[in-house]
Short mmCIF file of all heavy atoms in Angstrom, two decimals:
data_model
loop_
_atom_site.label_atom_id
_atom_site.label_comp_id
_atom_site.label_asym_id
_atom_site.label_seq_id
_atom_site.Cartn_x
_atom_site.Cartn_y
_atom_site.Cartn_z
N VAL B 454 63.46 -58.39 75.67
CA VAL B 454 64.15 -57.02 75.57
C VAL B 454 63.78 -56.27 74.38
O VAL B 454 63.77 -55.01 74.45
CB VAL B 454 65.70 -57.27 75.73
CG1 VAL B 454 66.31 -57.89 74.51
CG2 VAL B 454 66.34 -56.01 76.11
N LYS B 455 63.48 -56.90 73.23
CA LYS B 455 63.06 -56.22 72.08
C LYS B 455 61.78 -55.37 72.29
O LYS B 455 61.67 -54.20 71.83
CB LYS B 455 62.82 -57.12 70.88
CG LYS B 455 64.03 -57.58 70.10
CD LYS B 455 63.57 -58.35 68.91
CE LYS B 455 64.66 -59.22 68.34
NZ LYS B 455 65.90 -58.52 67.87
N HIS B 456 60.92 -55.84 73.08
CA HIS B 456 59.64 -55.13 73.43
C HIS B 456 59.98 -53.98 74.38
O HIS B 456 59.49 -52.86 74.23
CB HIS B 456 58.63 -56.08 74.01
CG HIS B 456 58.32 -57.16 73.05
ND1 HIS B 456 57.60 -56.92 71.88
CD2 HIS B 456 58.48 -58.50 73.11
CE1 HIS B 456 57.40 -58.06 71.23
NE2 HIS B 456 57.96 -59.06 71.95
N PHE B 457 60.85 -54.28 75.35
CA PHE B 457 61.20 -53.23 76.28
C PHE B 457 61.92 -52.13 75.61
O PHE B 457 61.77 -50.92 75.93
CB PHE B 457 62.07 -53.77 77.40
CG PHE B 457 61.34 -54.44 78.49
CD1 PHE B 457 61.09 -55.82 78.51
CD2 PHE B 457 60.81 -53.63 79.59
CE1 PHE B 457 60.33 -56.35 79.53
CE2 PHE B 457 60.10 -54.19 80.61
CZ PHE B 457 59.88 -55.60 80.62
N ALA B 458 62.71 -52.44 74.50
CA ALA B 458 63.53 -51.42 73.85
C ALA B 458 62.55 -50.33 73.27
O ALA B 458 63.08 -49.22 73.01
CB ALA B 458 64.35 -52.03 72.76
N LYS B 459 61.37 -50.64 72.99
CA LYS B 459 60.41 -49.74 72.42
C LYS B 459 59.83 -48.77 73.46
O LYS B 459 59.40 -47.73 73.21
CB LYS B 459 59.10 -50.50 71.74
CG LYS B 459 59.51 -51.27 70.58
CD LYS B 459 58.26 -51.99 70.06
CE LYS B 459 58.62 -53.25 69.43
NZ LYS B 459 57.57 -54.30 69.39
N GLU B 460 59.97 -49.10 74.70
CA GLU B 460 59.38 -48.26 75.80
C GLU B 460 60.35 -47.72 76.82
O GLU B 460 59.84 -47.07 77.77
CB GLU B 460 58.27 -49.18 76.50
CG GLU B 460 57.25 -49.71 75.48
CD GLU B 460 55.93 -50.08 76.12
OE1 GLU B 460 55.66 -49.60 77.24
OE2 GLU B 460 55.27 -50.86 75.43
N VAL B 461 61.60 -47.94 76.63
CA VAL B 461 62.58 -47.37 77.59
C VAL B 461 63.51 -46.43 76.86
O VAL B 461 63.62 -46.45 75.66
CB VAL B 461 63.38 -48.41 78.37
CG1 VAL B 461 62.52 -49.36 79.17
CG2 VAL B 461 64.20 -49.21 77.41
N ASP B 462 64.12 -45.51 77.66
CA ASP B 462 65.18 -44.65 77.10
C ASP B 462 66.57 -45.27 77.17
O ASP B 462 67.50 -44.73 76.50
CB ASP B 462 65.20 -43.32 77.85
CG ASP B 462 63.77 -42.62 77.64
OD1 ASP B 462 63.32 -42.48 76.54
OD2 ASP B 462 63.28 -42.17 78.71
N PHE B 463 66.75 -46.21 78.06
CA PHE B 463 68.06 -46.81 78.19
C PHE B 463 67.99 -48.16 78.98
O PHE B 463 66.99 -48.35 79.67
CB PHE B 463 69.08 -45.89 78.91
CG PHE B 463 68.79 -45.60 80.33
CD1 PHE B 463 69.54 -46.32 81.34
CD2 PHE B 463 67.80 -44.71 80.74
CE1 PHE B 463 69.22 -46.10 82.66
CE2 PHE B 463 67.56 -44.54 82.09
CZ PHE B 463 68.28 -45.19 83.04
N PHE B 464 68.93 -48.95 78.81
CA PHE B 464 69.06 -50.23 79.65
C PHE B 464 70.25 -50.18 80.57
O PHE B 464 71.30 -49.62 80.11
CB PHE B 464 69.24 -51.40 78.69
CG PHE B 464 67.97 -51.80 77.95
CD1 PHE B 464 67.91 -51.72 76.58
CD2 PHE B 464 66.82 -52.22 78.66
CE1 PHE B 464 66.80 -52.06 75.84
CE2 PHE B 464 65.71 -52.70 77.95
CZ PHE B 464 65.67 -52.58 76.54
N SER B 465 70.12 -50.71 81.70
CA SER B 465 71.40 -50.86 82.45
C SER B 465 71.31 -52.37 82.95
O SER B 465 70.43 -52.85 83.51
CB SER B 465 71.32 -49.94 83.69
OG SER B 465 72.59 -50.06 84.31
N ILE B 466 72.41 -53.10 82.60
CA ILE B 466 72.49 -54.53 82.94
C ILE B 466 73.15 -54.68 84.31
O ILE B 466 74.29 -54.29 84.50
CB ILE B 466 73.27 -55.27 81.83
CG1 ILE B 466 72.65 -55.10 80.50
CG2 ILE B 466 73.30 -56.77 82.20
CD1 ILE B 466 73.42 -55.62 79.31
N GLY B 467 72.45 -55.23 85.25
CA GLY B 467 72.97 -55.55 86.57
C GLY B 467 73.47 -57.00 86.52
O GLY B 467 72.73 -57.90 86.74
N THR B 468 74.73 -57.13 86.33
CA THR B 468 75.28 -58.47 86.11
C THR B 468 75.23 -59.36 87.33
O THR B 468 75.14 -60.52 87.21
CB THR B 468 76.77 -58.38 85.58
OG1 THR B 468 77.48 -57.56 86.45
CG2 THR B 468 76.81 -57.86 84.17
N ASN B 469 75.30 -58.73 88.49
CA ASN B 469 75.25 -59.54 89.75
C ASN B 469 73.95 -60.34 89.81
O ASN B 469 73.96 -61.59 90.04
CB ASN B 469 75.44 -58.72 90.97
CG ASN B 469 76.71 -58.03 91.02
OD1 ASN B 469 77.59 -58.22 90.11
ND2 ASN B 469 76.88 -57.11 91.93
N ASP B 470 72.78 -59.63 89.71
CA ASP B 470 71.55 -60.23 89.86
C ASP B 470 71.20 -61.03 88.62
O ASP B 470 70.63 -62.16 88.67
CB ASP B 470 70.38 -59.22 90.15
CG ASP B 470 70.31 -58.88 91.57
OD1 ASP B 470 70.79 -59.73 92.43
OD2 ASP B 470 69.96 -57.76 92.00
N LEU B 471 71.60 -60.53 87.45
CA LEU B 471 71.32 -61.29 86.18
C LEU B 471 71.97 -62.68 86.32
O LEU B 471 71.41 -63.69 85.95
CB LEU B 471 71.79 -60.49 84.93
CG LEU B 471 71.50 -61.18 83.58
CD1 LEU B 471 69.95 -61.33 83.37
CD2 LEU B 471 72.17 -60.37 82.50
N THR B 472 73.17 -62.73 86.82
CA THR B 472 73.86 -63.97 86.95
C THR B 472 73.14 -64.88 87.95
O THR B 472 72.82 -66.04 87.69
CB THR B 472 75.36 -63.70 87.46
OG1 THR B 472 75.98 -62.94 86.63
CG2 THR B 472 76.10 -65.05 87.61
N GLN B 473 72.79 -64.35 89.08
CA GLN B 473 72.05 -65.16 90.14
C GLN B 473 70.74 -65.70 89.69
O GLN B 473 70.31 -66.76 89.92
CB GLN B 473 72.09 -64.41 91.44
CG GLN B 473 70.78 -63.91 91.97
CD GLN B 473 70.86 -63.50 93.41
OE1 GLN B 473 71.73 -64.06 94.20
NE2 GLN B 473 70.06 -62.51 93.82
N TYR B 474 69.99 -64.82 88.91
CA TYR B 474 68.69 -65.27 88.47
C TYR B 474 68.77 -66.17 87.21
O TYR B 474 67.97 -67.07 87.03
CB TYR B 474 67.79 -64.05 88.19
CG TYR B 474 67.44 -63.25 89.31
CD1 TYR B 474 67.49 -61.82 89.34
CD2 TYR B 474 67.03 -63.85 90.55
CE1 TYR B 474 67.14 -61.09 90.44
CE2 TYR B 474 66.70 -63.10 91.70
CZ TYR B 474 66.76 -61.73 91.57
OH TYR B 474 66.45 -60.97 92.69
N THR B 475 69.74 -66.04 86.42
CA THR B 475 69.93 -66.92 85.28
C THR B 475 70.38 -68.23 85.58
O THR B 475 69.89 -69.28 85.09
CB THR B 475 70.86 -66.26 84.19
OG1 THR B 475 70.46 -64.91 83.94
CG2 THR B 475 70.97 -67.12 82.93
N LEU B 476 71.38 -68.30 86.62
CA LEU B 476 71.91 -69.53 86.91
C LEU B 476 71.38 -70.28 88.19
O LEU B 476 71.74 -71.26 88.50
CB LEU B 476 73.47 -69.36 87.17
CG LEU B 476 74.25 -68.71 86.02
CD1 LEU B 476 75.75 -68.54 86.47
CD2 LEU B 476 74.09 -69.40 84.76
N ALA B 477 70.27 -69.56 88.74
CA ALA B 477 69.72 -70.09 89.95
C ALA B 477 70.69 -70.34 91.07
O ALA B 477 70.75 -71.36 91.66
CB ALA B 477 68.93 -71.42 89.71
N VAL B 478 71.64 -69.35 91.20
CA VAL B 478 72.68 -69.48 92.22
C VAL B 478 72.60 -68.26 93.12
O VAL B 478 72.75 -67.12 92.69
CB VAL B 478 74.08 -69.51 91.56
CG1 VAL B 478 75.18 -69.36 92.61
CG2 VAL B 478 74.28 -70.68 90.69
N ASP B 479 72.26 -68.57 94.40
CA ASP B 479 72.29 -67.47 95.40
C ASP B 479 73.75 -67.05 95.65
O ASP B 479 74.55 -67.80 96.03
CB ASP B 479 71.67 -68.01 96.72
CG ASP B 479 71.78 -67.06 97.81
OD1 ASP B 479 72.34 -66.01 97.67
OD2 ASP B 479 71.20 -67.39 98.91
N ARG B 480 74.01 -65.70 95.31
CA ARG B 480 75.42 -65.32 95.33
C ARG B 480 75.92 -65.16 96.76
O ARG B 480 77.11 -64.97 97.05
CB ARG B 480 75.64 -64.05 94.50
CG ARG B 480 74.83 -62.86 95.00
CD ARG B 480 75.15 -61.72 93.99
NE ARG B 480 74.04 -60.80 93.97
CZ ARG B 480 74.09 -59.56 94.31
NH1 ARG B 480 75.27 -59.06 94.79
NH2 ARG B 480 73.10 -58.67 94.21
N GLY B 481 75.07 -65.28 97.76
CA GLY B 481 75.49 -65.15 99.14
C GLY B 481 75.73 -66.49 99.77
O GLY B 481 76.17 -66.69 100.95
N ASN B 482 75.42 -67.61 99.00
CA ASN B 482 75.52 -68.94 99.56
C ASN B 482 76.94 -69.55 99.33
O ASN B 482 77.25 -69.86 98.09
CB ASN B 482 74.40 -69.84 99.03
CG ASN B 482 74.35 -71.16 99.56
OD1 ASN B 482 75.35 -71.68 100.16
ND2 ASN B 482 73.22 -71.74 99.52
N HIS B 483 77.67 -69.77 100.36
CA HIS B 483 79.06 -70.12 100.19
C HIS B 483 79.14 -71.60 99.73
O HIS B 483 80.13 -72.05 99.07
CB HIS B 483 79.77 -70.07 101.59
CG HIS B 483 79.95 -68.65 101.96
ND1 HIS B 483 80.71 -67.77 101.19
CD2 HIS B 483 79.50 -67.96 103.04
CE1 HIS B 483 80.62 -66.59 101.78
NE2 HIS B 483 79.89 -66.70 102.86
N LEU B 484 78.05 -72.41 99.90
CA LEU B 484 78.09 -73.81 99.47
C LEU B 484 78.20 -73.90 97.94
O LEU B 484 78.70 -74.96 97.40
CB LEU B 484 76.88 -74.55 99.96
CG LEU B 484 76.70 -74.74 101.45
CD1 LEU B 484 75.36 -75.33 101.73
CD2 LEU B 484 77.85 -75.65 101.96
N ILE B 485 77.76 -72.91 97.27
CA ILE B 485 77.61 -72.94 95.86
C ILE B 485 78.36 -71.74 95.16
O ILE B 485 78.11 -71.45 94.02
CB ILE B 485 76.15 -72.97 95.34
CG1 ILE B 485 75.36 -71.85 96.04
CG2 ILE B 485 75.51 -74.32 95.60
CD1 ILE B 485 73.94 -71.71 95.42
N SER B 486 79.37 -71.20 95.89
CA SER B 486 79.92 -69.93 95.37
C SER B 486 80.66 -70.22 94.10
O SER B 486 80.83 -69.29 93.19
CB SER B 486 80.89 -69.35 96.39
OG SER B 486 81.75 -70.29 96.76
N ASP B 487 81.14 -71.52 93.85
CA ASP B 487 81.86 -71.68 92.58
C ASP B 487 80.88 -71.74 91.45
O ASP B 487 81.31 -71.73 90.21
CB ASP B 487 82.72 -73.02 92.67
CG ASP B 487 81.87 -74.17 93.07
OD1 ASP B 487 80.88 -73.96 93.81
OD2 ASP B 487 82.15 -75.30 92.60
N LEU B 488 79.63 -71.89 91.66
CA LEU B 488 78.61 -71.93 90.56
C LEU B 488 78.36 -70.50 90.09
O LEU B 488 77.70 -70.32 89.05
CB LEU B 488 77.36 -72.66 90.98
CG LEU B 488 77.54 -74.19 91.15
CD1 LEU B 488 76.20 -74.74 91.58
CD2 LEU B 488 77.95 -74.81 89.73
N TYR B 489 78.60 -69.49 90.90
CA TYR B 489 78.27 -68.14 90.54
C TYR B 489 79.30 -67.61 89.54
O TYR B 489 80.43 -67.28 89.89
CB TYR B 489 78.35 -67.25 91.82
CG TYR B 489 78.00 -65.77 91.57
CD1 TYR B 489 76.71 -65.45 91.42
CD2 TYR B 489 79.05 -64.91 91.40
CE1 TYR B 489 76.43 -64.06 91.11
CE2 TYR B 489 78.77 -63.53 91.18
CZ TYR B 489 77.45 -63.20 91.06
OH TYR B 489 77.17 -61.88 90.72
N GLN B 490 78.93 -67.67 88.24
CA GLN B 490 79.90 -67.29 87.20
C GLN B 490 79.26 -66.27 86.23
O GLN B 490 78.49 -66.62 85.38
CB GLN B 490 80.24 -68.61 86.29
CG GLN B 490 80.99 -69.67 87.11
CD GLN B 490 82.38 -69.31 87.41
OE1 GLN B 490 82.91 -68.32 86.87
NE2 GLN B 490 83.13 -70.13 88.24
N PRO B 491 79.57 -65.04 86.45
CA PRO B 491 78.94 -64.00 85.59
C PRO B 491 79.38 -64.24 84.15
O PRO B 491 78.69 -63.77 83.27
CB PRO B 491 79.57 -62.68 86.09
CG PRO B 491 80.06 -62.93 87.48
CD PRO B 491 80.44 -64.44 87.49
N MET B 492 80.48 -64.86 83.86
CA MET B 492 80.97 -65.14 82.54
C MET B 492 80.40 -66.51 81.96
O MET B 492 80.95 -67.01 81.02
CB MET B 492 82.48 -65.15 82.42
CG MET B 492 83.07 -63.82 82.70
SD MET B 492 82.69 -62.51 81.57
CE MET B 492 83.91 -62.78 80.29
N HIS B 493 79.27 -66.93 82.53
CA HIS B 493 78.61 -68.15 82.03
C HIS B 493 78.11 -67.72 80.59
O HIS B 493 77.50 -66.70 80.45
CB HIS B 493 77.50 -68.47 83.02
CG HIS B 493 76.85 -69.79 82.69
ND1 HIS B 493 76.04 -69.96 81.48
CD2 HIS B 493 76.78 -70.88 83.28
CE1 HIS B 493 75.59 -71.16 81.45
NE2 HIS B 493 76.04 -71.86 82.60
N PRO B 494 78.20 -68.67 79.64
CA PRO B 494 77.67 -68.31 78.31
C PRO B 494 76.23 -67.85 78.30
O PRO B 494 75.88 -66.99 77.46
CB PRO B 494 77.85 -69.66 77.59
CG PRO B 494 78.86 -70.42 78.26
CD PRO B 494 78.78 -69.95 79.71
N ALA B 495 75.36 -68.39 79.09
CA ALA B 495 74.02 -67.97 79.10
C ALA B 495 73.82 -66.58 79.55
O ALA B 495 73.05 -65.81 79.02
CB ALA B 495 73.20 -68.91 80.04
N VAL B 496 74.59 -66.09 80.52
CA VAL B 496 74.55 -64.71 81.00
C VAL B 496 74.96 -63.75 79.85
O VAL B 496 74.42 -62.77 79.60
CB VAL B 496 75.44 -64.52 82.27
CG1 VAL B 496 75.37 -63.06 82.72
CG2 VAL B 496 74.97 -65.39 83.41
N LEU B 497 76.05 -64.24 79.24
CA LEU B 497 76.60 -63.37 78.13
C LEU B 497 75.61 -63.29 76.96
O LEU B 497 75.43 -62.34 76.29
CB LEU B 497 77.96 -63.91 77.66
CG LEU B 497 79.06 -63.74 78.73
CD1 LEU B 497 80.29 -64.58 78.40
CD2 LEU B 497 79.37 -62.28 78.95
N ALA B 498 74.85 -64.42 76.75
CA ALA B 498 73.89 -64.48 75.69
C ALA B 498 72.84 -63.44 75.95
O ALA B 498 72.38 -62.63 75.10
CB ALA B 498 73.29 -65.80 75.56
N PHE B 499 72.45 -63.27 77.26
CA PHE B 499 71.45 -62.34 77.60
C PHE B 499 71.90 -60.89 77.36
O PHE B 499 71.26 -59.98 76.89
CB PHE B 499 70.99 -62.48 78.94
CG PHE B 499 69.93 -63.57 79.29
CD1 PHE B 499 69.90 -64.33 80.38
CD2 PHE B 499 68.99 -63.79 78.32
CE1 PHE B 499 68.97 -65.28 80.61
CE2 PHE B 499 68.01 -64.80 78.52
CZ PHE B 499 68.01 -65.50 79.65
N ILE B 500 73.18 -60.73 77.72
CA ILE B 500 73.78 -59.38 77.54
C ILE B 500 73.84 -59.11 76.04
O ILE B 500 73.45 -57.95 75.60
CB ILE B 500 75.20 -59.32 78.18
CG1 ILE B 500 75.14 -59.44 79.66
CG2 ILE B 500 75.88 -57.97 77.84
CD1 ILE B 500 76.44 -59.56 80.32
N SER B 501 74.25 -60.06 75.26
CA SER B 501 74.35 -59.84 73.85
C SER B 501 72.94 -59.47 73.21
O SER B 501 72.85 -58.56 72.34
CB SER B 501 74.86 -61.06 73.14
OG SER B 501 74.87 -60.97 71.84
N MET B 502 71.93 -60.17 73.65
CA MET B 502 70.58 -59.89 73.22
C MET B 502 70.19 -58.49 73.51
O MET B 502 69.53 -57.78 72.73
CB MET B 502 69.58 -60.83 73.85
CG MET B 502 69.56 -62.25 73.25
SD MET B 502 68.80 -63.45 74.36
CE MET B 502 67.11 -62.88 74.28
N THR B 503 70.54 -58.06 74.70
CA THR B 503 70.13 -56.70 75.16
C THR B 503 70.84 -55.64 74.26
O THR B 503 70.20 -54.64 73.86
CB THR B 503 70.52 -56.50 76.64
OG1 THR B 503 70.01 -57.51 77.44
CG2 THR B 503 70.01 -55.20 77.11
N VAL B 504 72.12 -55.87 73.96
CA VAL B 504 72.86 -54.92 73.11
C VAL B 504 72.29 -54.85 71.76
O VAL B 504 72.07 -53.78 71.29
CB VAL B 504 74.30 -55.25 73.12
CG1 VAL B 504 75.06 -54.42 72.06
CG2 VAL B 504 74.96 -55.23 74.47
N GLU B 505 71.90 -55.98 71.25
CA GLU B 505 71.30 -56.07 69.80
C GLU B 505 70.02 -55.23 69.82
O GLU B 505 69.78 -54.47 68.91
CB GLU B 505 70.98 -57.46 69.46
CG GLU B 505 71.97 -58.03 68.40
CD GLU B 505 71.75 -59.49 68.26
OE1 GLU B 505 70.59 -59.87 67.87
OE2 GLU B 505 72.71 -60.24 68.46
N ALA B 506 69.12 -55.57 70.85
CA ALA B 506 67.86 -54.81 70.87
C ALA B 506 68.02 -53.39 71.00
O ALA B 506 67.30 -52.55 70.43
CB ALA B 506 66.97 -55.46 71.98
N GLY B 507 69.06 -52.99 71.90
CA GLY B 507 69.21 -51.60 72.00
C GLY B 507 69.73 -50.91 70.80
O GLY B 507 69.26 -49.83 70.42
N ASP B 508 70.70 -51.57 70.10
CA ASP B 508 71.28 -50.96 68.92
C ASP B 508 70.12 -50.72 67.83
O ASP B 508 70.14 -49.68 67.20
CB ASP B 508 72.25 -52.01 68.25
CG ASP B 508 73.63 -51.83 68.88
OD1 ASP B 508 73.74 -50.82 69.75
OD2 ASP B 508 74.49 -52.62 68.67
N GLU B 509 69.19 -51.69 67.72
CA GLU B 509 68.16 -51.55 66.69
C GLU B 509 67.40 -50.23 66.89
O GLU B 509 66.83 -49.64 65.91
CB GLU B 509 67.16 -52.73 66.76
CG GLU B 509 67.51 -53.88 65.84
CD GLU B 509 66.68 -55.04 66.08
OE1 GLU B 509 65.45 -54.95 66.42
OE2 GLU B 509 67.18 -56.17 65.94
N ARG B 510 67.18 -49.88 68.18
CA ARG B 510 66.34 -48.65 68.42
C ARG B 510 67.14 -47.47 68.97
O ARG B 510 66.48 -46.55 69.57
CB ARG B 510 65.25 -49.02 69.34
CG ARG B 510 64.33 -50.11 68.81
CD ARG B 510 62.95 -50.04 69.41
NE ARG B 510 62.02 -50.72 68.45
CZ ARG B 510 61.11 -49.99 67.80
NH1 ARG B 510 61.03 -48.75 67.97
NH2 ARG B 510 60.31 -50.60 66.98
N ASP B 511 68.45 -47.55 68.90
CA ASP B 511 69.21 -46.49 69.45
C ASP B 511 69.09 -46.29 70.95
O ASP B 511 69.08 -45.13 71.32
CB ASP B 511 69.04 -45.21 68.66
CG ASP B 511 69.99 -45.02 67.57
OD1 ASP B 511 71.04 -45.64 67.62
OD2 ASP B 511 69.69 -44.37 66.54
N VAL B 512 68.82 -47.28 71.65
CA VAL B 512 68.71 -47.20 73.10
C VAL B 512 70.03 -47.61 73.70
O VAL B 512 70.49 -48.70 73.56
CB VAL B 512 67.63 -48.25 73.62
CG1 VAL B 512 67.51 -48.22 75.07
CG2 VAL B 512 66.29 -47.83 72.94
N PRO B 513 70.61 -46.62 74.46
CA PRO B 513 71.93 -46.97 75.06
C PRO B 513 71.88 -48.13 76.12
O PRO B 513 70.94 -48.26 76.82
CB PRO B 513 72.30 -45.68 75.77
CG PRO B 513 71.41 -44.70 75.32
CD PRO B 513 70.18 -45.30 74.77
N VAL B 514 72.94 -48.94 76.08
CA VAL B 514 73.06 -50.02 77.00
C VAL B 514 74.29 -49.89 77.89
O VAL B 514 75.39 -49.77 77.36
CB VAL B 514 73.05 -51.38 76.25
CG1 VAL B 514 73.33 -52.61 77.19
CG2 VAL B 514 71.91 -51.63 75.35
#
Side-chain angles (χ1 to χ4, degrees):
Chain B
V454 72
K455 275 186 199 299
H456 301 292
F457 276 95
K459 293 178 208 155
E460 307 202 18
V461 298
D462 300 311
F463 68 100
F464 287 117
S465 188
I466 303 173
T468 50
N469 300 352
D470 277 334
L471 183 59
T472 304
Q473 110 165 330
Y474 293 137
T475 304
L476 305 181
V478 173
D479 175 355
R480 60 185 154 115
N482 186 336
H483 294 296
L484 296 174
I485 50 171
S486 57
D487 56 328
L488 289 179
Y489 179 81
Q490 296 287 350
M492 293 297 273
H493 188 293
V496 179
L497 294 167
F499 278 148
I500 296 176
S501 175
M502 283 163 64
T503 308
V504 174
E505 253 173 58
D508 276 353
E509 265 172 36
R510 298 206 157 249
D511 270 336
V512 174
V514 176

